[in-house]
Amino acid sequence: MKENRRKEIEEQRFCTKNAGREILRFALPVAGSGFFQQAYGLFHAAVVSRSLSITAIAVFGACGAFVSMQSFIANGMTTGFGFYLSRCYGSGDKEFYRKSFTAAAVCTAALFALSVILLAGIAPLMKMAGIPGELWDMCRSYLCILILGTGFLGFRNLMVCVLQGMGDSGFPGALTAAGVVSQTLLLLAVISVVPGIYGPPLAVLINNTLLGGILLFYMKKRYGGYAVFVNVKQIPAGIYRELLASGCSKSGMMILVGVGGFFMQRAQNALPSAILAGSSLSDSLSNFFLVPLSALAQTAGMAAGQNMGRKEYRAIRFYNRRLFALHVICTVFVWSASVTAGAFLIRFLAGGTAQMEVIAAGKLWLMICIPGFFGLGAAMIFRNSLQSMGCYDKLIYLGILEMSVTIVFALFFVPRFGYPAYCASILAKWTALGVFAGYWYLKKVRKMV
């Protein structure tokens, strides 16, 4: 009995005596899969631009808000479920975990039901988004497949987060990397069979379903005692409340950020096209730089959840100190790389015929915004920790903060000072997020410890 309990505790991981090893073992697969996903994004853009007509490509731009909203809802909700489940796993109570896991599956299935209902009202949504008349039919077909895939996207992300909540990022990371390859092959295959705009979202839907099923099968084999669905009548209402509070706080924060982004997008669109191109290139480059910081933040959330479940509050502080130090080291490295090689990287992405204005805009973005990684990385680490500790309201406050800073700059500073003010808005909001998230985290930890 004691031997079995010892093995269970070892499986939970994130024990303070092995902090460095546990952080690397968890974060490296997450970072690796993140780099693969970023590479796929570039490949996807290249394939689509070469395989589809200009009109079909315009559909992606016209439906961009819907794509973002799908990610906000599906990924935001299920990531929130994953943080709560990590806390349940840390408690060591298998029966409670089974009930929570079943409840998370029910809530994720509700996303699929909601997406089916939304299909009936797709036309009013398209009118609200101002879809151009000449793109109406193609956008409708594209959005039907996209919205139908919301539940499957949530299913895949839930299974990734569930396994990460158990301290297992190796298999989900490897499968996500393999999933990038399979999605690439599916994209090429589907585009060759299914004409027009239908291919890309259909390939994503199929791939998400496949990966989610494999992850569930792996969980049942590896963690059979936990991957058990119970009768929904046995699940207390309190579990649903916690799951929805965690999931909705994440989605709500992301939606608030999206609202601020809408205002900034309108302000950006008044800038010259060369500046917009340079900003887009530097933003794509920063997504690669952000991958290790995102991996550290995911580690923080899962470690805090497990230790919260075990009531090891000092371990939460212990891990986050080390994660924060690693974040600072990564940011210094990224900042140095952007200073020394930023112009070369922007020129490489833009191609040999890029205008000097494009290169200059990209360099300015990197010079002003990359230092903001110090605040952004801290915000992600402490924000995920707060969510795992049950401080869901703080995520909404952080969403309001980011939205407010963005709107103020979009309405008052960007129209007057132009592109430098846009770059300054990013630095300002990331810094503010880091300060407030750090303050709330320290206040919470001091109360517990």
Side-chain angles (χ1 to χ4, degrees), residues 272-279 281 343 346-363:
S273 58
I275 288 179
L276 292 178
S279 174
L281 290 171
I346 294 295
R347 192 176 292 108
F348 174 78
L349 290 177
T353 59
Q355 302 175 24
M356 290 304 299
E357 292 86 348
V358 174
I359 306 300
K363 287 175 60 179

Side-chain angles (χ1 to χ4, degrees), residues 408-419:
V408 167
F409 271 85
L411 294 180
F412 300 106
F413 294 103
V414 176
R416 184 174 180 181
F417 300 105
Y419 183 63

Side-chain angles (χ1 to χ4, degrees), residues 170-212:
F171 184 80
L175 186 64
T176 300
V180 171
V181 178
S182 67
Q183 187 156 310
T184 300
L185 296 175
L186 274 170
L187 178 64
L188 296 173
V190 173
I191 284 180
S192 66
V193 176
V194 181
I197 199 66
Y198 315 104
L202 188 59
V204 172
L205 189 154
I206 294 171
N207 199 56
N208 283 334
T209 306
L210 176 65
L211 295 183

Side-chain angles (χ1 to χ4, degrees), residues 106-167:
V106 171
C107 291
T108 305
L111 286 177
F112 176 77
L114 178 63
S115 66
V116 173
I117 295 172
L118 282 176
L119 289 178
I122 189 66
L125 292 174
M126 292 173 64
K127 289 181 180 178
M128 289 175 58
I131 300 295
E134 65 272 15
L135 300 178
W136 186 271
D137 290 336
M138 294 183 69
C139 284
R140 184 185 182 92
S141 301
Y142 173 76
L143 288 174
C144 283
I145 302 174
L146 178 77
I147 293 174
L148 191 62
T150 301
F152 299 98
L153 172 62
F155 171 52
R156 179 193 63 80
N157 191 63
L158 174 68
M159 293 311 305
V160 170
C161 292
V162 163
L163 290 168
Q164 288 180 348
M166 295 176 165

Side-chain angles (χ1 to χ4, degrees), residues 139-415:
C139 284
R140 184 185 182 92
S141 301
Y142 173 76
L143 288 174
C144 283
I145 302 174
L146 178 77
I147 293 174
L148 191 62
T150 301
F152 299 98
L153 172 62
F155 171 52
R156 179 193 63 80
N157 191 63
L158 174 68
M159 293 311 305
V160 170
C161 292
V162 163
L163 290 168
Q164 288 180 348
M166 295 176 165
D168 186 348
S169 66
F171 184 80
L175 186 64
T176 300
V180 171
V181 178
S182 67
Q183 187 156 310
T184 300
L185 296 175
L186 274 170
L187 178 64
L188 296 173
V190 173
I191 284 180
S192 66
V193 176
V194 181
I197 199 66
Y198 315 104
L202 188 59
V204 172
L205 189 154
I206 294 171
N207 199 56
N208 283 334
T209 306
L210 176 65
L211 295 183
I214 293 173
L215 289 167
L216 179 59
F217 177 79
Y218 169 79
M219 182 183 175
K220 283 184 170 293
K221 288 292 185 182
R222 179 70 176 83
Y223 306 97
Y226 292 92
V228 176
F229 294 105
V230 302
N231 190 323
V232 293
K233 295 180 180 180
Q234 300 176 6
I235 303 174
I239 290 179
Y240 285 108
R241 283 196 296 268
E242 281 289 319
L243 280 168
L244 291 175
S246 182
C248 290
S249 66
K250 192 79 168 184
S251 291
M253 179 196 71
M254 296 171 75
I255 290 172
L256 288 168
V257 172
V259 171
F262 172 78
F263 281 87
M264 184 57 75
Q265 186 67 61
R266 291 174 63 90
Q268 270 186 279
N269 289 341
L271 299 174
S273 58
I275 288 179
L276 292 178
S279 174
S280 177
L281 290 171
S282 57
D283 187 54
S284 299
L285 186 61
S286 73
N287 288 334
F288 276 93
F289 291 157
L290 273 174
V291 167
L293 300 186
S294 298
L296 294 175
Q298 191 72 358
T299 306
M302 296 307 177
Q306 285 195 19
N307 285 304
M308 191 73 180
R310 288 196 292 265
K311 302 186 186 304
E312 293 285 349
Y313 305 131
R314 293 182 183 275
I316 297 175
R317 184 174 62 183
F318 180 87
Y319 267 89
N320 277 341
R321 284 177 175 173
R322 281 148 184 79
L323 288 166
F324 183 80
L326 287 172
H327 139 66
V328 171
I329 293 171
C330 288
T331 300
V332 169
F333 176 79
V334 168
W335 193 4
S336 301
S338 67
V339 170
T340 57
F344 168 78
L345 293 172
I346 294 295
R347 192 176 292 108
F348 174 78
L349 290 177
T353 59
Q355 302 175 24
M356 290 304 299
E357 292 86 348
V358 174
I359 306 300
K363 287 175 60 179
L364 183 63
W365 193 101
L366 293 175
M367 288 177 58
I368 296 177
C369 299
I370 291 298
F373 276 25
F374 287 105
L376 179 61
M380 292 192 296
I381 289 171
F382 297 136
R383 184 179 66 200
N384 285 355
S385 297
L386 286 166
Q387 185 174 9
S388 290
M389 292 188 285
C391 302
Y392 308 127
D393 58 327
K394 298 300 186 291
L395 271 74
I396 300 299
Y397 297 155
L398 289 170
I400 294 173
L401 174 64
E402 183 169 355
M403 178 186 69
S404 301
V405 173
T406 302
I407 291 176
V408 167
F409 271 85
L411 294 180
F412 300 106
F413 294 103
V414 176

